[in-house]
Amino acid sequence: MSTPRTSPWPLVALFTAGCLAPYLLPTLVGRLDSGLPLSATQAGAVGSALLLSSAAAGFLFASRVDRIGARRLARVGLALAAIGYGGAALTGAVPAVVLGALLGGFGSGTLTAVAATRIATQPDPHRASALGLLGVSGLAGLLYLTLPHLGPGHGRPLLALALTALAVWPLTGRLPAPAAAAPVPRRQRARRQRPRRLRPCSGLVLVSVMPCWSLVQNSLWGVSGRIGLTQAHLTEAAVGVVFAVALGAALLGVLGARALGPRLGRALPIGAGTALIAGCVALSASATGPTTFAIGQIAWNTVYPVVMSYVIGLAASLAPCGRWAVLVGSAASLGTAAGPLTGSLLAARAGFPVMGVVLAAVLLLAAVPMTAVALRAAGRPLLPDAVRRRGAGVRVVEATPDAPPVPARSAFETVG
């Protein structure tokens, strides 16, 4: 017996609702700056506090999703997101907005923890994570096209987050309750956890590096709107169009990653992709015109979700229970949380171009251990002997004179 797998579509919806806040970070921070009596640094600090609350929820529920029940925990997260973001959208008092952002961020982190845990139990975690990235990129792109036409004020992006949480609620009925999670026999659980040396070490390295990797992305993302407005001399509507096109390119990137699958392994997409992202970060931060700004943003947003999908798949492969996937996602949220404030401080003290160079250097340094983890994980035995040891739902047929041999291709197809 094994833990029952969930249909990927409720997980895609949960992933979308949980990750939408970081994707809307530039417009959210910009609206807080322009719609409330806050400076740019203070608005970035509010965005960082929202994402830090999200990371705290991920660490809290990393190993408790199955115990509490995916359905119950998802509904709690959706309720917190709807109440927190909705309340912050309907008030102009700064303390109430901050409190609502913290509450909504905790709800978003809870949704991401549930989605990551259940995605790790899917037959193909990379495919499920790619679908989730497709969902959040598509919805965020649509909102970037729509929000500038709905009027000014800080409430519009927050209200969009609240309405997304309410829209996802009906799909939670397909998630397992605590009683529905079948217990895993002790013998099979021991088989799944057998490579003890690789997984904890690799998981800890990945968890320790992901905050830096994510911090770079969101340091630039948090100030991208200001770069477009002040340095590239674009209007808010034009910046929204660039972001929408960039997120549309992200859809194409994720589709390409999904079609490519594991053919190139994980080390090459993660290592080379991260190096390419570093170049895009430096280019975007130094943009002084619309063309350079658009090229940098589109190229960056095309590559980023591709690398992220492989990182999620790598984390999911380290533990079938999904613990490392949640911890890696929460560690990424820590970097995401520090991103807006870090980007604002670097931009204020050194300027956007110097900020881009510093962030690119940090990203290149982070690429080294991430690639090493991917290479080490790829060195694990993946042939039928290892499959039989893990007992991952593969039918084992003993060789007897009366039993016909099982074709090797059909065995691999079952594993895949």
Side-chain angles (χ1 to χ4, degrees), residues 3-416:
T3 303
R5 295 188 175 101
T6 309
S7 171
W9 298 112
L11 303 181
V12 170
L14 285 179
F15 189 91
T16 300
C19 296
L20 185 59
Y23 271 71
L24 293 182
L25 198 61
T27 188
L28 182 59
V29 172
R31 292 294 185 97
L32 290 175
D33 180 17
S34 61
L36 295 174
L38 295 172
S39 65
T41 303
Q42 290 172 335
V46 174
S48 295
L50 184 156
L51 298 174
L52 184 61
S53 179
S54 179
F59 283 112
L60 179 63
F61 298 120
S63 59
R64 295 179 172 89
V65 173
D66 289 331
R67 189 186 314 164
I68 299 173
R71 183 189 308 167
R72 179 186 302 168
L73 196 57
R75 288 176 175 173
V76 170
L78 290 172
L80 291 176
I83 294 172
Y85 294 135
L90 298 176
T91 181
V94 173
V97 171
V98 174
L99 180 61
L102 291 174
L103 192 63
F106 194 87
S108 294
T110 303
L111 298 177
T112 305
V114 175
T117 300
R118 301 305 305 172
I119 284 174
T121 67
Q122 296 294 303
D124 188 353
H126 182 266
R127 176 179 177 272
S129 62
L131 289 173
L133 290 169
L134 281 173
V136 68
S137 298
L139 180 57
L142 180 63
L143 289 173
Y144 273 116
L145 288 176
T146 306
L147 288 174
H149 302 287
L150 298 180
H154 74 285
R156 271 67 175 182
L158 291 168
L159 191 59
L161 295 172
L163 293 177
T164 301
L166 292 177
V168 172
W169 185 283
L171 297 177
T172 58
R174 300 183 182 182
L175 297 174
V184 180
R186 183 180 301 174
R187 183 178 300 175
Q188 185 173 349
R189 187 164 59 245
R191 289 172 183 167
R192 289 184 176 182
Q193 298 174 349
R194 184 158 291 180
R196 296 182 183 275
R197 293 183 180 179
L198 170 68
R199 295 181 180 183
C201 178
S202 300
L204 288 174
V205 171
L206 203 57
V207 167
S208 63
V209 173
M210 278 307 294
C212 297
W213 189 88
S214 183
L215 180 141
V216 171
Q217 318 291 334
N218 290 278
S219 293
L220 178 62
W221 189 238
V223 298
S224 289
R226 289 165 53 199
I227 294 175
L229 293 173
T230 61
Q231 187 170 277
H233 309 294
L234 295 171
T235 64
E236 183 183 3
V239 170
V241 170
V242 171
F243 288 161
V245 173
L247 292 174
L251 295 177
L252 298 178
V254 175
L255 286 174
R258 182 186 172 193
L260 186 63
R263 291 183 180 87
L264 298 178
R266 296 191 181 100
L268 181 61
I270 290 175
T274 300
L276 186 57
I277 291 173
C280 295
V281 167
L283 179 63
S284 296
S286 61
T288 56
T291 303
T292 308
F293 178 75
I295 292 174
Q297 289 289 323
I298 292 171
W300 172 38
N301 281 277
T302 302
V303 181
Y304 165 77
V306 175
V307 179
M308 190 64 186
S309 68
Y310 281 97
V311 171
I312 295 174
L314 174 61
S317 70
L318 298 179
C321 65
R323 182 187 179 194
W324 286 119
V326 178
L327 289 176
V328 167
S330 300
S333 296
L334 285 178
T336 303
L341 184 58
T342 302
S344 298
L345 290 175
L346 282 174
R349 297 185 179 183
F352 292 125
V354 176
M355 177 199 73
V357 173
V358 173
L359 294 178
V362 173
L363 199 58
L364 291 174
L365 291 176
V368 176
M370 293 174 67
T371 306
V373 170
L375 287 172
R376 192 178 182 191
R380 294 205 314 268
L382 296 175
L383 296 176
D385 290 339
V387 172
R388 286 197 294 270
R389 288 199 301 270
R390 289 173 60 188
V394 180
R395 183 177 62 182
V396 179
V397 180
E398 296 182 0
T400 63
D402 297 330
V406 179
R409 180 175 178 179
S410 65
F412 282 116
E413 288 174 351
T414 307
V415 174

